[in-house]
Amino acid sequence: QVQLVESGGGLVQAGGSLRLSCAASGSIFSINAMGWYRQAPGKQRELVAAITSGGSTNYADSVKGRFTISRDNAKNTVYLQMNSLKPEDTAVYYCNALEVAGPAERDYWGQGTQVTVSS
């Protein structure tokens, strides 16, 4: 089992910045990758950014150049630095951990943190 606790959401004006944090605990040795997803009202949950245990990253086209995902292995924490925020970035942001154990995969989710960008 993996537990994820997010923090760092809030209200910010367009052009501002926020940093989200996601602390993982439990069976963290089995985590293959971690990422951030977001879900806006009436829309499907979408991948924002992800980072593998090896440090490879990928981003949604809509956030490339503005958001940066990173990890602190000593703290078992993943961060999402969000700069140049836009109103369309408004959503609930969820931390995700992908556990790989042999042929089996399992997703874990945090409780979500609200990010609101005002125009």
Side-chain angles (χ1 to χ4, degrees), residues 32-118:
N32 180 265
M34 294 186 69
W36 290 94
Y37 288 70
R38 67 186 180 188
Q39 187 166 19
K43 294 187 177 182
Q44 289 188 331
R45 191 173 296 190
E46 62 175 0
L47 175 68
V48 177
I51 185 166
T52 69
S53 56
S56 298
T57 59
N58 68 291
Y59 297 90
D61 288 342
S62 59
V63 307
K64 284 181 180 177
R66 300 188 298 123
F67 291 11
T68 302
I69 189 168
S70 62
R71 64 193 297 163
D72 184 333
N73 291 329
K75 296 182 178 180
N76 299 320
T77 300
V78 171
Y79 304 97
L80 184 68
Q81 178 66 44
M82 305 185 293
N83 299 328
S84 302
L85 282 160
K86 305 176 181 180
E88 50 264 42
D89 295 318
T90 295
V92 178
Y93 284 69
Y94 296 92
C95 181
N96 168 268
L98 174 65
E99 177 188 65
V100 178
E105 295 185 353
R106 180 174 178 177
D107 281 297
Y108 293 91
W109 296 93
Q111 78 282 4
T113 185
Q114 177 71 45
V115 171
T116 302
V117 184
S118 62

